[in-house]
């Protein structure tokens, strides 16, 4: 059970300090948005390079951008240890996943709430993680979509059949009140932005979320 706090809810003027505040987490989730794939703009490669350099924990890059075929491998080369692209944006998913892996990172694909998983089941052999979005991508602080739990179950089942070690990540509205259902459905990597950085103690929120996930999940 791994916790990946999203820097989207952190203080963008103090990212090094904000990374230090979640040093007890498993990953630092960095949301890259290009104002095309989603209607929001965050940060790109030069900032990710610096985050990788100063982060006490590995960086988990979630690319909400058009043309990940072109850009995703660069994030792996920059040192992100996990790079996730969206199936709705990619043209050559297999080639992109392979390029991410050969640059030394874990590769993952993400599906938006309206995107079915089944057409992408064959991609499991090319990736290390599947991200099931539990909000529409673009913004932090949105309400959790419980109707995505059926998809999490479906992905977990497919991963079980495929064998190997493929993680199932959820992202969006994950908090102390919603993480249990995610863990029960089979998620094992939990992204949380506002629930971590909006808490009095970010590190305390990480511990609380991890404990809840462990109580309610299989691993
Ligand atoms: C949304 C991003 C999320 C976001 C989650 O598009 O992918 O990572 O930061 O924020 P919360 O946890 O506040 O929903
Ligand atoms: Zn994200």
């Amino acid at each position: 059970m791994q916790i990946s706090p999203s820097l989207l809810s952190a203080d963008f003027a103090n990212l090094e300090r904000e990374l230090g505040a979640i040093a007890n987490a498993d990953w630092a989730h960095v949301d890259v948005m290009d104002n095309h794939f989603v209607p929001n703009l965050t940060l790109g490669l030069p900032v990710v390079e610096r985050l990788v350099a100063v982060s006490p924990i590995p960086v988990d890059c979630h690319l909400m951008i058009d043309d990940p075929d072109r850009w995703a491998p660069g994030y792996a080369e920059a040192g992100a240890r996990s790079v996730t692209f969206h199936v709705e944006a990619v043209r050559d998913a297999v080639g992109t996943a392979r390029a991410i892996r050969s640059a030394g990172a874990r590769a993952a694909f993400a599906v938006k709430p309206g995107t079915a998983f089944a057409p992408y089941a064959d991609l499991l052999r090319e990736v290390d993680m599947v991200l099931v979005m539990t909000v529409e991508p673009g913004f932090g602080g949105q309400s959790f979509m419980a109707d995505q739990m059926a998809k999490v179950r479906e992905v977990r089942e497919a991963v079980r059949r495929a064998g190997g070690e493929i993680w199932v990540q959820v992202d969006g509205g994950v908090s102390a009140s919603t993480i249990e259902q995610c863990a029960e459905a089979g998620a094992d990597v939990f992204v949380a932005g506002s629930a971590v950085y909006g808490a009095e103690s970010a590190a305390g929120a990480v511990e609380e979320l991890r404990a809840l996930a462990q109580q309610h999940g299989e691993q």
Side-chain angles (χ1 to χ4, degrees), residues 6 8 29-31 33 62 64 131 133 171-172 191:
S6 167
L8 192 58
H29 184 86
V30 176
D31 292 297
M33 305 186 188
H62 177 194
M64 285 161 276
L131 165 52
M133 290 301 301
D171 179 8
V191 177

CSV table of all heavy atoms in Angstrom, one decimal, residues 6 8 29-31 33 62 64 131 133 171-172 191, ligand 2:
chain,number,residue,atom,x,y,z
A,6,SER,N,-0.1,14.5,-4.0
A,6,SER,CA,0.0,15.3,-5.2
A,6,SER,C,0.4,16.7,-4.8
A,6,SER,O,-0.2,17.4,-4.0
A,6,SER,CB,-1.4,15.3,-5.9
A,6,SER,OG,-1.3,16.4,-6.9
A,8,LEU,N,0.1,19.2,-6.5
A,8,LEU,CA,-0.9,20.2,-7.1
A,8,LEU,C,-1.5,21.0,-6.0
A,8,LEU,O,-1.8,22.2,-6.2
A,8,LEU,CB,-1.9,19.5,-7.9
A,8,LEU,CG,-2.9,20.3,-8.7
A,8,LEU,CD1,-2.1,21.1,-9.8
A,8,LEU,CD2,-3.9,19.4,-9.4
A,29,HIS,N,3.8,12.8,-6.2
A,29,HIS,CA,3.0,12.8,-7.4
A,29,HIS,C,3.0,14.2,-8.1
A,29,HIS,O,2.6,15.2,-7.4
A,29,HIS,CB,1.5,12.4,-7.1
A,29,HIS,CG,0.6,12.3,-8.3
A,29,HIS,ND1,0.5,11.1,-9.0
A,29,HIS,CD2,-0.3,13.1,-8.8
A,29,HIS,CE1,-0.4,11.3,-10.0
A,29,HIS,NE2,-0.9,12.5,-9.9
A,30,VAL,N,3.5,14.3,-9.3
A,30,VAL,CA,3.6,15.6,-10.0
A,30,VAL,C,2.7,15.6,-11.2
A,30,VAL,O,2.8,14.8,-12.1
A,30,VAL,CB,5.1,15.8,-10.4
A,30,VAL,CG1,5.2,17.1,-11.2
A,30,VAL,CG2,6.0,15.8,-9.2
A,31,ASP,N,1.8,16.5,-11.2
A,31,ASP,CA,0.8,16.6,-12.2
A,31,ASP,C,1.2,17.6,-13.3
A,31,ASP,O,1.3,18.8,-13.0
A,31,ASP,CB,-0.6,17.1,-11.6
A,31,ASP,CG,-1.2,16.0,-10.7
A,31,ASP,OD1,-1.5,15.0,-11.3
A,31,ASP,OD2,-1.3,16.3,-9.5
A,33,MET,N,0.3,19.5,-16.6
A,33,MET,CA,-0.9,19.8,-17.4
A,33,MET,C,-0.5,20.9,-18.4
A,33,MET,O,0.3,21.8,-18.1
A,33,MET,CB,-1.9,20.4,-16.5
A,33,MET,CG,-2.3,19.5,-15.3
A,33,MET,SD,-3.8,20.1,-14.4
A,33,MET,CE,-3.8,19.0,-13.0
A,62,HIS,N,2.5,12.4,-13.5
A,62,HIS,CA,1.2,12.1,-14.2
A,62,HIS,C,1.1,13.2,-15.3
A,62,HIS,O,0.8,14.3,-15.0
A,62,HIS,CB,0.1,12.3,-13.1
A,62,HIS,CG,-1.3,12.1,-13.7
A,62,HIS,ND1,-2.4,12.5,-12.9
A,62,HIS,CD2,-1.8,11.7,-14.8
A,62,HIS,CE1,-3.5,12.3,-13.6
A,62,HIS,NE2,-3.1,11.8,-14.8
A,64,MET,N,-0.8,14.9,-18.0
A,64,MET,CA,-2.1,15.3,-18.5
A,64,MET,C,-1.9,16.2,-19.7
A,64,MET,O,-2.1,17.4,-19.6
A,64,MET,CB,-3.0,15.9,-17.5
A,64,MET,CG,-3.5,14.8,-16.5
A,64,MET,SD,-4.1,15.6,-15.0
A,64,MET,CE,-2.6,15.7,-14.1
A,131,LEU,N,-3.5,3.7,-13.9
A,131,LEU,CA,-4.1,4.8,-13.1
A,131,LEU,C,-5.6,4.9,-13.5
A,131,LEU,O,-5.9,5.3,-14.6
A,131,LEU,CB,-3.4,6.1,-13.3
A,131,LEU,CG,-4.1,7.4,-12.9
A,131,LEU,CD1,-4.5,7.3,-11.4
A,131,LEU,CD2,-3.2,8.6,-13.1
A,133,MET,N,-8.6,7.2,-12.9
A,133,MET,CA,-9.0,8.5,-12.4
A,133,MET,C,-10.3,8.5,-11.7
A,133,MET,O,-11.3,7.9,-12.2
A,133,MET,CB,-9.1,9.5,-13.6
A,133,MET,CG,-7.8,9.9,-14.2
A,133,MET,SD,-6.5,10.6,-13.1
A,133,MET,CE,-7.3,12.1,-12.5
A,171,ASP,N,-6.6,8.3,-8.3
A,171,ASP,CA,-6.2,9.7,-8.2
A,171,ASP,C,-7.5,10.5,-8.4
A,171,ASP,O,-8.1,10.5,-9.4
A,171,ASP,CB,-5.2,10.0,-9.4
A,171,ASP,CG,-4.7,11.4,-9.4
A,171,ASP,OD1,-5.1,12.2,-8.5
A,171,ASP,OD2,-4.0,11.8,-10.3
A,172,GLY,N,-7.7,11.3,-7.3
A,172,GLY,CA,-8.8,12.3,-7.4
A,172,GLY,C,-9.8,12.1,-6.2
A,172,GLY,O,-10.5,11.0,-6.2
A,191,VAL,N,-3.2,8.4,-4.7
A,191,VAL,CA,-2.8,9.8,-4.9
A,191,VAL,C,-3.7,10.6,-4.0
A,191,VAL,O,-4.9,10.4,-4.1
A,191,VAL,CB,-2.8,10.2,-6.3
A,191,VAL,CG1,-2.5,11.7,-6.5
A,191,VAL,CG2,-1.9,9.4,-7.2
B,2,LIG,ZN1,-2.6,13.3,-10.8
